[in-house]
Amino acid sequence: MPRDPYDVLAVPRDASEQQIKKSFRRLATELHPDVNPDDPQAEERFKEAAAAYEILSDSERRATFDRYGHDGLRAGGYAPNFDTFGSIGDLFNAFFGEAGGFGADGFGARAGRGGGGDVAATVDIDLHEAATGATAKVRYEVVERCDVCHGNGAEPGTPIETCDRCGGSGQLQMVTRTPFGQMVRTGPCDLCQGQGRVPRSPCKQCQGHGRRAVKRELDVDVPAGIADGQRIRIGSQGHAAGPGGAAGDLYVLVRVRDDERFVREGQDLITVLDVPAPTAALGAELEVPTLDGTTKIQVPAGTQPGEVLTVRNLGMPALGRARHGHLRVVLNVVIPRNLTHEQRELAERLRDTLTDDNLLGEESMFAKLRRTLRHHQAA
Ligand SMILES: [Zn+2]
Ligand SMILES: [Zn+2]
């Protein structure tokens, strides 16, 4: 069970959005990979803080957590999606734009690097869509260049001057306290956000940031054969960059909803089919569900519980290839219950006529089990 996010961020339960943001920012700075190279504990703590922040920074999620705890969030389909990010560096990208960019606006100043930060978003599809491919709507928040000042942060027609705090270099020496002592590192100037220059009259539309957060909606092509937890990269749909830089990328995490009929194993699909015991003894043609309908399978006479029939090429497609997996049908032989008087007589007649020839055949799952048990007793 994950820890209480309020405890993780060390904020009271009635903390304001500002308090939560501030606390997360402080923790994130402390656990920065530059400060803690190769410290897996710092990385774990950052992930924990990021997960807590993801819950508490979203009013809907926070309300769900307040009322129902982690179970409520899970029941609502929420799962922290950090595990699919390769490294803590990627995590920083996801939260702050580029690594190290702790901009005053909360969206990661560019630190004079030019490129815009990457953005992570999530999309949910069902298994059928994963098999056929789909166009999915992705909604996410992204920082765009301000269209009034064209990103330079100055009210149109007003001058931009050299920053006094950093003398125009855009960089400042910063001292960070860590459990291992003080670390000095160079970071972007917080006054000019690493640009080295500040507008005399900040643009009114964007308060001088040159960028602003907007909600964006995008149709994303999800390729056939995608698996739960895979990410799709969409170039240039991430955060806008500083003047002259290229926008970051959008990474869409694909979640494939569970399908109660199938379990997916690689490209194969597995389903369970109930077969009445007399049908298993006699053999029959039966219908099984497929992803887009049903198909018929031949259940041979004398089928034993747990036997598996394979229907070729009715599994999932392989990503980017024409080859399909198979549909594996596990046969669940069902013994009839609540027999009527007549059925009982029939069953008794069948029982009385059974010989070894009926009962000893190829070794069944249970015969194997019995042999194993005997073997253990003998040992
Ligand atoms: Zn502006
Ligand atoms: Zn500066």
Side-chain angles (χ1 to χ4, degrees):
M1 175 62 67
R3 279 173 67 204
D4 186 314
Y6 292 98
D7 292 346
V8 173
L9 295 183
V11 291
R13 298 197 89 78
D14 59 357
S16 68
E17 261 174 63
Q18 259 341 85
Q19 271 176 290
I20 288 165
K21 191 181 256 184
K22 211 172 136 195
S23 173
F24 174 55
R25 196 169 279 278
R26 181 182 51 74
L27 274 171
T29 313
E30 220 171 82
L31 302 169
H32 191 282
D34 287 356
V35 180
N36 307 282
D38 308 317
D39 178 4
Q41 257 183 334
E43 180 166 336
E44 282 315 304
R45 284 184 60 208
F46 179 81
K47 282 186 183 170
E48 187 178 49
Y53 180 69
E54 207 182 49
I55 293 167
L56 297 187
S57 61
D58 179 306
S59 56
E60 218 171 279
R61 266 181 220 142
R62 184 178 174 180
T64 304
F65 177 83
D66 286 346
R67 289 186 67 184
Y68 307 111
H70 284 293
D71 289 340
L73 287 170
R74 255 198 310 279
Y78 167 75
N81 55 19
F82 311 119
D83 290 343
T84 48
F85 285 96
S87 71
I88 193 164
D90 288 344
L91 270 171
F92 270 85
N93 287 352
F95 276 92
F96 297 112
E98 266 182 48
F102 293 97
D105 59 358
F107 290 102
R110 293 280 59 80
R113 290 166 198 247
D118 295 334
V119 182
T122 305
V123 69
D124 290 289
I125 59 172
D126 61 35
L127 189 62
H128 186 259
E129 290 172 309
T132 57
T135 303
K137 271 210 189 320
V138 177
R139 295 181 183 83
Y140 63 105
E141 200 164 276
V142 68
V143 176
E144 277 186 353
R145 183 171 301 178
C146 173
D147 51 5
V148 172
C149 62
H150 302 290
N152 69 15
E155 192 65 14
T158 67
I160 299 178
E161 298 166 336
T162 301
C163 172
D164 322 327
R165 187 167 299 174
C166 61
S169 71
Q171 302 287 307
L172 283 180
Q173 298 267 303
M174 287 193 283
V175 178
T176 316
R177 290 170 62 87
T178 78
F180 314 108
Q182 292 196 339
M183 301 282 296
V184 179
R185 65 185 185 99
T186 305
C189 169
D190 57 350
L191 185 64
C192 63
Q193 320 221 328
Q195 299 298 324
R197 287 148 62 81
V198 283
R200 188 188 292 168
S201 319
C203 165
K204 291 190 186 77
Q205 173 76 18
C206 63
Q207 283 83 45
H209 294 306
R211 288 179 293 258
R212 59 210 180 96
V214 293
K215 288 189 162 53
R216 191 182 286 169
E217 196 176 277
L218 202 68
D219 283 333
V220 173
D221 284 325
V222 180
I226 198 146
D228 182 55
Q230 286 186 306
R231 286 195 292 162
I232 301 171
R233 176 178 163 277
I234 298 162
S236 306
Q237 293 290 343
H239 293 313
D249 298 330
L250 169 67
Y251 286 91
V252 181
L253 172 69
V254 178
R255 290 271 181 223
V256 181
R257 289 186 207 99
D258 284 338
D259 188 307
E260 57 184 23
R261 299 167 303 167
F262 303 106
V263 171
R264 182 176 182 177
E265 203 179 273
Q267 262 95 254
D268 286 355
L269 292 174
I270 302 168
T271 192
V272 175
L273 183 67
D274 288 343
V275 184
T279 308
L282 297 167
E285 188 178 67
L286 295 180
E287 225 169 51
V288 286
T290 63
L291 274 175
D292 45 13
T294 59
T295 189
K296 290 203 159 57
I297 58 165
Q298 201 63 46
V299 175
T303 288
Q304 300 296 314
E307 276 186 24
V308 179
L309 297 177
T310 298
V311 189
R312 297 187 61 78
N313 303 324
L314 283 185
M316 299 291 288
L319 199 58
R321 280 182 288 158
R323 206 182 72 78
H324 272 68
H326 310 308
L327 174 64
R328 304 211 299 262
V329 185
V330 180
L331 300 174
N332 176 38
V333 175
V334 180
I335 311 300
R337 302 180 189 85
N338 308 322
L339 300 181
T340 65
H341 182 69
E342 193 190 355
Q343 289 169 326
R344 215 187 146 74
E345 279 183 358
L346 286 170
E348 282 168 354
R349 271 167 59 198
L350 177 62
R351 178 196 62 196
D352 294 344
T353 60
L354 291 176
T355 65
D356 278 359
D357 189 41
N358 301 123
L359 299 174
L360 302 174
E362 268 178 58
E363 198 173 43
S364 69
M365 193 165 75
F366 296 104
K368 270 183 208 149
L369 180 64
R370 191 163 49 209
R371 192 158 51 84
T372 310
L373 289 175
R374 281 206 194 112
H375 181 76
H376 275 285
Q377 273 174 350

Coordinates of all heavy atoms in Angstrom, one line a residue, residues 146-151 153-154 203-211, ligand 1:
C146 N 3.1 32.3 -26.1 CA 2.1 33.4 -26.0 C 2.0 34.0 -27.4 O 3.0 34.4 -28.0 CB 2.5 34.4 -25.0 SG 1.4 35.8 -25.0
D147 N 0.8 34.2 -27.8 CA 0.6 34.7 -29.2 C 0.6 36.3 -29.2 O 0.6 36.8 -30.3 CB -0.6 34.2 -29.9 CG -1.9 34.3 -29.0 OD1 -1.8 35.0 -27.9 OD2 -2.9 33.8 -29.4
V148 N 0.6 36.9 -28.1 CA 0.6 38.4 -28.0 C 2.1 38.9 -28.1 O 2.4 39.7 -29.0 CB 0.0 38.9 -26.8 CG1 0.2 40.4 -26.6 CG2 -1.5 38.6 -26.8
C149 N 3.0 38.3 -27.3 CA 4.4 38.7 -27.3 C 5.3 37.8 -28.1 O 6.5 38.0 -28.2 CB 4.9 38.8 -25.9 SG 4.9 37.2 -25.0
H150 N 4.7 36.8 -28.7 CA 5.5 35.8 -29.5 C 6.6 35.2 -28.7 O 7.6 34.8 -29.2 CB 6.0 36.4 -30.8 CG 4.9 37.0 -31.7 ND1 4.0 36.2 -32.3 CD2 4.5 38.3 -31.9 CE1 3.2 37.0 -33.0 NE2 3.4 38.2 -32.7
G151 N 6.3 35.1 -27.4 CA 7.2 34.3 -26.6 C 8.3 35.1 -25.9 O 9.1 34.6 -25.1
G153 N 7.9 37.7 -23.9 CA 7.5 38.1 -22.6 C 7.3 39.6 -22.5 O 6.9 40.1 -21.4
A154 N 7.6 40.4 -23.5 CA 7.5 41.8 -23.4 C 6.1 42.3 -24.0 O 5.7 41.8 -25.1 CB 8.6 42.5 -24.1
C203 N 4.5 41.3 -20.7 CA 3.3 41.1 -21.5 C 2.1 40.8 -20.6 O 2.2 40.0 -19.7 CB 3.5 39.9 -22.5 SG 2.1 39.3 -23.2
K204 N 1.0 41.5 -20.9 CA -0.2 41.3 -20.0 C -0.9 40.0 -20.2 O -1.4 39.4 -19.2 CB -1.2 42.5 -20.2 CG -0.7 43.8 -19.8 CD -1.8 44.9 -19.8 CE -1.3 46.3 -19.5 NZ -0.6 46.9 -20.7
Q205 N -0.8 39.5 -21.4 CA -1.5 38.2 -21.7 C -0.9 37.1 -20.9 O -1.6 36.2 -20.4 CB -1.4 38.0 -23.2 CG -1.9 36.6 -23.7 CD -3.4 36.6 -23.7 OE1 -4.1 37.6 -23.7 NE2 -3.9 35.4 -23.7
C206 N 0.5 37.0 -20.8 CA 1.2 35.9 -20.2 C 1.9 36.3 -19.0 O 2.7 35.5 -18.5 CB 2.1 35.2 -21.2 SG 3.4 36.3 -21.8
Q207 N 1.7 37.5 -18.4 CA 2.5 38.0 -17.3 C 4.0 37.9 -17.5 O 4.8 37.7 -16.5 CB 2.1 37.2 -16.0 CG 0.8 37.6 -15.4 CD -0.4 36.9 -16.1 OE1 -0.3 35.7 -16.3 NE2 -1.4 37.6 -16.4
G208 N 4.4 38.0 -18.7 CA 5.9 38.1 -19.0 C 6.5 36.7 -19.1 O 7.7 36.6 -19.4
H209 N 5.8 35.7 -18.9 CA 6.4 34.3 -19.0 C 6.7 34.0 -20.5 O 7.6 33.1 -20.7 CB 5.5 33.3 -18.5 CG 5.3 33.4 -17.0 ND1 6.3 33.5 -16.1 CD2 4.1 33.5 -16.3 CE1 5.8 33.6 -14.9 NE2 4.5 33.6 -15.0
G210 N 6.0 34.6 -21.4 CA 6.2 34.2 -22.8 C 5.5 33.0 -23.2 O 5.4 32.6 -24.4
R211 N 5.0 32.2 -22.2 CA 4.3 31.0 -22.5 C 3.1 30.9 -21.6 O 3.1 31.6 -20.5 CB 5.2 29.8 -22.2 CG 6.2 29.6 -23.3 CD 7.1 28.4 -22.9 NE 7.9 28.7 -21.7 CZ 9.1 29.0 -21.7 NH1 9.8 29.1 -22.8 NH2 9.7 29.2 -20.5
Ligands
ZN1 ZN 3.0 37.2 -23.8

